[in-house]
Amino acid sequence: MTATSTAPPAPVAATETLEKRSTETIPLSERRGRPLHLAWTWSSPNLEFATVFVGVLATMAFGLTFWQAAAAILLGNGLAALSHGILSARGPKVGVPQMVLARVAFGFRGNVVPATLMSVMAGFGWFAVNSVSAAFALSALTTLAPVVCLLAVVLVQIGVAALGHDLVHLFERYAVIVLAVVFAVVAVLTFAKADYSVVPEQPAGMGGFILAAATAWGYSAGWNPYATDYTRYLPLGTGRAAGWAAGVGLFLSTTVLMLAGAASFFIPGATSDNPTEAFTSHLPGALAQVTLLAIALGAICANIINVYSGSMAFLSMGFTSLARRRAVVPVAFGVVGFFLAWGGLADAGHAYESFLLVISYWVAPWLAVVLADQWVRRGEDVSGVLHEKSWTNVGGLVAFIVGTVVSIALFANQAVYAGPVATALPQLGDLTPLVGFVVAGALYLLIPRRSLQTV
């Protein structure tokens, strides 16, 4: 195997307008960037209405008081940010996207399963959700038809993602300035107007708290499979700083906006068929208009990340010919995502809660396997298996599948399906992510793993 270089970082390479690399290991001579930039990269995509709505769900759908919702949000986001920081910290050392790094735990071909789920979640699922949010915000601001606004939003998103890594970082870094200022003002006004003494008509028990924490975790941990995509170009030796910046940026942005969403439920105000317009109804006229613009910009920031990382996951399945034409994949994702989002314009927000929980259903066991593998192989050089097609590690895929299937079959609590445990004990809410994480992680530690020395 090739040992990981411990030489001092090479001179920082110049910023690229069009990214030349794909899923291969980034050479030391092309390393560039500063770890601090990860804070902005992971703040911008969360300063949007989809984040706010997670907080709204905690109070409106799950029946929590503000303080109960706040505790659930802090718990869910704290755990997700911790794992995000741990994963992000490996980027400078390994120099590959997260779904390529996951080959160590799942094997080259076994990794196709989670990579497919990641591609669908990021490139299509989140793309549609955020594009609809941005389109409605622009429509409310300009009075243009939502489909026209949707087309404009999609064009910007796929354009930046197609150009690649450096432009993605640059876009997020400058967008966060506008987004942070606008949403800070909105959050302060929302917190000031909320009546925290209000108790929901149907107070929730432990089940509501678990659902709220799982939903917050599902939203924030949904970024975990993207982690090293944005740290793989950093110089050697910057991993710890990158991990802190990524984790803190994710935690602060998601937590503040989710808390604002939870508080907004307790503010009397006019309603609207346009969900983003309804959220801004309690704001002064000019600020409401600026907020609508920020909602659109935040959704675009999120989808640039989604499309770029979705394409990285897709390419990690081993499409060698497409890897040489990396920019084609984000464009294809954007076209399909546009039509999915178009179909969602007529029923915006429907099943958003279920979408977040379903994300957590597969991310939790995937994360458990990846973290367990990282722990048992700590200190080992994994570079020799990252691009080796013959590398197999059946235990990873088995643990992932068993953890996912068992947790969903027994504990899922959805309208379309409720497991026997959820049916018998509905007061527990939805324990699927927690059970999936524990089962998959424990199984991976118990099942014999292939040694890196056999490559």
Side-chain angles (χ1 to χ4, degrees):
M1 295 191 305
T2 304
T4 302
S5 173
T6 57
V12 177
T15 299
E16 292 181 337
T17 303
L18 175 64
E19 184 178 8
K20 300 181 181 66
R21 297 289 176 181
S22 180
T23 58
E24 65 267 37
T25 302
I26 306 302
L28 295 182
S29 61
E30 297 179 19
R31 300 301 184 90
R32 54 187 178 272
R34 297 173 56 196
L36 182 61
H37 294 166
L38 271 296
W40 323 136
T41 300
W42 288 114
S43 292
S44 293
N46 293 300
L47 298 177
E48 57 152 341
F49 183 70
T51 314
V52 172
F53 198 60
V54 176
V56 175
L57 284 174
T59 49
M60 179 180 70
F62 304 144
L64 299 180
T65 67
F66 173 79
W67 301 111
Q68 291 171 333
I73 289 168
L74 287 169
L75 175 62
N77 287 342
L79 292 174
L82 176 62
S83 56
H84 194 67
I86 293 172
L87 295 178
S88 297
R90 295 193 78 188
K93 182 177 181 180
V94 296
V96 294
Q98 186 64 59
M99 277 298 167
V100 172
L101 180 57
R103 290 171 179 168
V104 180
F106 291 94
F108 191 94
R109 292 179 175 80
N111 190 57
V112 170
V113 175
T116 299
L117 292 171
M118 162 70 173
S119 298
V120 173
M121 177 192 78
F124 303 136
W126 272 121
F127 186 90
V129 169
N130 290 319
S131 294
V132 169
S133 177
F136 270 122
L138 285 179
S139 178
L141 182 65
T142 64
T143 70
L144 292 173
V147 67
V148 175
C149 297
L150 177 63
L151 179 60
V153 165
V154 168
L155 288 175
V156 173
Q157 291 167 170
I158 62 177
V160 176
L163 288 174
H165 176 274
D166 288 357
L167 187 56
V168 170
H169 273 295
L170 190 65
F171 189 96
E172 305 292 344
R173 191 189 317 165
Y174 286 105
V176 76
I177 299 172
V178 176
L179 294 172
V181 171
V182 173
F183 280 113
V185 174
V186 172
V188 169
L189 288 177
T190 301
F191 293 140
K193 291 185 177 183
D195 182 359
Y196 301 105
S197 65
V198 174
V199 177
E201 295 180 3
Q202 296 181 335
M206 181 58 68
F209 180 86
I210 292 174
L211 282 170
T215 304
W217 183 86
Y219 180 93
S220 298
W223 295 118
N224 285 184
Y226 305 45
T228 64
D229 296 9
Y230 304 95
T231 59
R232 71 191 199 276
Y233 278 92
L234 290 174
L236 283 175
T238 60
R240 179 170 301 199
W244 274 105
V248 171
L250 177 64
F251 178 77
L252 290 179
S253 58
T254 54
T255 300
V256 171
L257 260 67
M258 287 183 193
L259 291 176
S264 69
F265 178 67
F266 299 108
I267 300 176
T271 59
S272 170
D273 291 335
N274 185 322
T276 51
E277 192 172 23
F279 173 70
T280 61
S281 61
H282 70 283
L283 301 174
L287 180 58
Q289 299 298 304
V290 174
T291 303
L292 287 171
L293 181 61
I295 287 172
L297 178 59
I300 290 171
C301 287
N303 267 356
I304 288 171
I305 298 282
N306 284 319
V307 175
Y308 180 79
S309 284
S311 66
M312 287 292 106
F314 182 79
L315 291 170
S316 74
M317 297 182 206
F319 298 109
T320 308
S321 59
L322 280 177
R324 291 191 289 269
R325 296 189 292 276
R326 180 205 56 81
V328 173
V329 180
V331 175
F333 274 34
V335 172
V336 176
F338 169 79
F339 287 104
L340 290 174
W342 189 2
L345 287 173
D347 195 16
H350 179 67
Y352 184 47
E353 168 197 342
S354 297
F355 176 64
L356 290 174
L357 287 172
V358 169
I359 288 174
S360 68
Y361 286 179
W362 80 265
V363 169
W366 173 87
L367 181 62
V369 171
V370 169
L371 290 178
D373 181 81
Q374 180 174 333
W375 183 74
V376 298
R377 300 188 196 277
R378 60 192 183 280
E380 295 185 55
D381 175 26
V382 302
S383 60
V385 305
L386 293 175
H387 306 288
E388 179 54 60
K389 293 184 178 181
S390 65
W391 169 251
T392 58
N393 191 36
V394 178
L397 185 59
V398 170
F400 172 74
I401 292 175
V402 172
T404 303
V405 172
V406 169
S407 60
I408 293 176
L410 298 179
F411 292 88
N413 193 359
Q414 298 284 330
V416 295
Y417 172 76
V421 176
T423 301
L425 301 169
Q427 66 271 23
L428 293 179
D430 196 327
L431 295 175
T432 308
L434 176 60
V435 174
F437 185 91
V438 172
V439 172
L443 266 181
Y444 187 75
L445 293 176
L446 293 173
I447 296 174
R449 292 168 299 280
R450 185 178 176 188
S451 171
L452 297 175
Q453 305 303 321
T454 61
V455 179

